[in-house]
Amino acid sequence: MISFYPGPSKVYEQIPKYVQEAYDKGIVSINHRSEEFVEISQKTILLLKEKLNIPDNYTIFFVSSATECWEIIAQSLIKNKSQHYYNGAFGEKWYEYTKKLTPSIEEVPFNLETFLIPQKSDADVICITQNETSNGTAISNEIIAEVKQKNPDAILAVDATSSMGGVALNFSNADVWFASVQKCFGLPAGLAIMICSPQAIERAIELNRNTHYNSLTFMIDKMRVYQTPFTPNVLSIYLLMRTLMHRESISIIDTQLKTRYNQWITMIDSYNGFNHLIKNMDVHSTTVIPIASTFEQIKTIKQKAKVEGFLLGNGYGEWAKNTFRIANFPAITDEEIQNLHSFLLQQLK
Ligand SMILES: *Cc1c(COP(=O)(O)O)cnc(C)c1O
């Protein structure tokens, strides 16, 4: 079965080999205060910065999920008020989640066929979901830069869970970026990375919140020596390091995925009765492709695909029944895409 689910998705084919290697080298049993761990952690961070073009003065943390990052941001970075732009289920969830943790909050829903329009705000944390996994829309680097320019004193936090590692993000445009590894990084779930600008670190230190096990102040202290306050997912960090060692730089991967996205658009055009969920191509995500049709057609195609060994992603939230989603993630090969396309073409001509 090949998983085209947009997370958890297909993992890199080298994963079994790297897991065996980690076992053979004793890495699965190392202490997280040991020199061996520090070496792996430091190398992983250096590789992330190098391969993803993350500014040197940004700090990278290891946490367990993107959802945990929502919580850390609410508990450690919001002074009085947060503002949430969203046009889909993940952005809305982040808003709903934060509402329970923070005194003052503002939502800015926007239409999924239109661009996010940056506003000036009195919020001290602004939240954007860069790649909306539920509906296949994305926010450009330019728009993110514009939000920050309009609100230089606010901490701009960006959920890039289904794009980081697949899209060339301009990290210097925002203060907090996060993603879990089961999407574009092609790894098993259970690890997330959170990337903070000097301004975000300053805010955390200024607020000095220290009432949670994952308060940012604790994490900052430990990360000075490349450690974490809790015992982290060492195996997953190792797998991240090993896959990054063989990864192309993000500009190359970004171009590859854009090419594949364009191929998908042409392919979808040839499927009778099926369309991309979003008409406006300028807001399309390149990594998550939602394909819409009737309830009946969607149900049938998903079932038939499964029999043939292709796992298609279910639709999400309000699009659960009239779409299926396809991950356009780096670990998926051209051949696998070709096979899925041949199958869909056969069914839908
Ligand atoms: C998958 C996803 C999440 C949730 O990730 P977890 O690792 O399950 O916490 C959050 N935001 C977006 C945009 C996602 O795609």
Side-chain angles (χ1 to χ4, degrees), residues 86-93 109-113 132-137 277-278 290-293 295 298 314-325:
Y86 66 81
N87 73 352
F90 283 98
E92 186 174 11
K93 235 184 188 175
F110 61 100
N111 189 284
L112 65 168
E113 292 284 352
E132 183 46 80
T133 322
S134 66
N135 59 29
T137 60
L277 172 69
I278 309 294
I291 302 180
S293 186
F295 289 7
I298 293 291
N314 289 332
Y316 198 97
E318 64 182 288
W319 305 284
K321 294 233 167 80
N322 72 331
T323 61
F324 66 84
R325 291 174 302 155

Side-chain angles (χ1 to χ4, degrees), residues 246-313:
H246 296 288
R247 230 176 199 259
E248 313 247 39
S249 78
I250 193 64
S251 58
I252 293 175
I253 293 178
D254 179 274
T255 306
Q256 276 169 353
L257 295 191
K258 279 199 179 110
T259 305
R260 285 179 174 181
Y261 156 80
N262 284 320
Q263 287 165 351
W264 269 118
I265 292 300
T266 312
M267 296 188 294
I268 296 167
D269 271 346
S270 64
Y271 305 154
N272 202 3
F274 284 67
N275 298 297
H276 194 293
L277 172 69
I278 309 294
K279 290 187 192 74
N280 180 1
M281 290 184 60
D282 294 336
V283 300
H284 279 186
S285 155
T286 53
T287 57
V288 179
I289 302 170
I291 302 180
S293 186
T294 60
F295 289 7
E296 219 23 67
Q297 293 250 59
I298 293 291
K299 199 173 149 196
T300 312
I301 201 76
K302 277 192 307 196
Q303 280 168 353
K304 284 190 177 164
K306 205 166 174 182
V307 173
E308 293 296 314
F310 304 108
L311 183 64
L312 305 178

Side-chain angles (χ1 to χ4, degrees), residues 65-67 70 90 129 131 133 159 161-162 180 182-183:
S65 69
T67 308
W70 295 349
F90 283 98
T129 302
N131 202 70
T133 322
D159 181 339
T161 303
S162 54
S180 34
Q182 73 273 20
K183 309 217 171 153

Side-chain angles (χ1 to χ4, degrees), residues 44-263:
T44 309
I45 287 166
L46 282 173
L47 281 165
L48 280 167
K49 287 189 173 174
E50 179 195 324
K51 302 276 172 145
L52 301 187
N53 269 336
I54 298 168
D56 254 349
N57 62 351
Y58 277 45
T59 309
I60 299 180
F61 301 99
F62 299 116
V63 293
S64 54
S65 69
T67 308
E68 186 187 3
C69 295
W70 295 349
E71 186 174 290
I72 294 169
I73 291 163
Q75 290 169 340
S76 292
L77 291 172
I78 300 173
K79 236 190 255 186
N80 299 306
K81 181 179 171 181
S82 68
Q83 183 195 43
H84 297 250
Y85 289 94
Y86 66 81
N87 73 352
F90 283 98
E92 186 174 11
K93 235 184 188 175
W94 187 4
Y95 161 75
E96 293 293 343
Y97 195 98
T98 306
K99 197 157 88 173
K100 296 176 192 153
L101 294 171
T102 198
S104 174
I105 191 161
E106 181 189 345
E107 58 185 321
V108 190
F110 61 100
N111 189 284
L112 65 168
E113 292 284 352
T114 62
F115 291 115
L116 178 163
I117 299 168
Q119 305 177 354
K120 206 171 150 35
S121 168
D122 61 349
D124 51 75
V125 170
I126 298 172
C127 302
I128 293 178
T129 302
Q130 191 273 327
N131 202 70
E132 183 46 80
T133 322
S134 66
N135 59 29
T137 60
I139 313 290
S140 67
N141 283 322
E142 291 71 26
I143 289 177
I144 290 173
E146 216 182 301
V147 174
K148 182 67 186 176
Q149 275 155 17
K150 284 210 152 91
N151 303 278
D153 297 328
I155 297 299
L156 179 53
V158 183
D159 181 339
T161 303
S162 54
S163 54
M164 193 191 293
V167 172
L169 300 165
N170 192 342
F171 290 96
S172 53
N173 290 342
D175 301 292
V176 182
W177 297 82
F178 56 90
S180 34
V181 297
Q182 73 273 20
K183 309 217 171 153
C184 285
F185 287 101
L187 294 170
L191 175 71
I193 62 171
M194 183 171 171
I195 304 167
C196 290
S197 72
Q199 196 182 338
I201 300 292
E202 227 172 83
R203 170 73 66 84
I205 291 171
E206 175 202 334
L207 297 183
N208 197 24
R209 306 253 175 85
N210 58 7
T211 49
H212 303 281
Y213 88 96
N214 55 10
S215 292
L216 208 43
T217 46
F218 297 159
M219 300 211 295
I220 293 167
D221 269 349
K222 287 294 179 201
M223 199 31 86
R224 290 187 218 283
V225 287
Y226 297 98
Q227 294 181 14
T228 51
F230 52 89
T231 316
N233 189 336
V234 179
L235 174 59
S236 195
I237 295 170
Y238 181 77
L239 296 177
L240 178 59
M241 181 191 85
R242 287 300 275 116
T243 48
L244 284 169
M245 283 166 71
H246 296 288
R247 230 176 199 259
E248 313 247 39
S249 78
I250 193 64
S251 58
I252 293 175
I253 293 178
D254 179 274
T255 306
Q256 276 169 353
L257 295 191
K258 279 199 179 110
T259 305
R260 285 179 174 181
Y261 156 80
N262 284 320
Q263 287 165 351

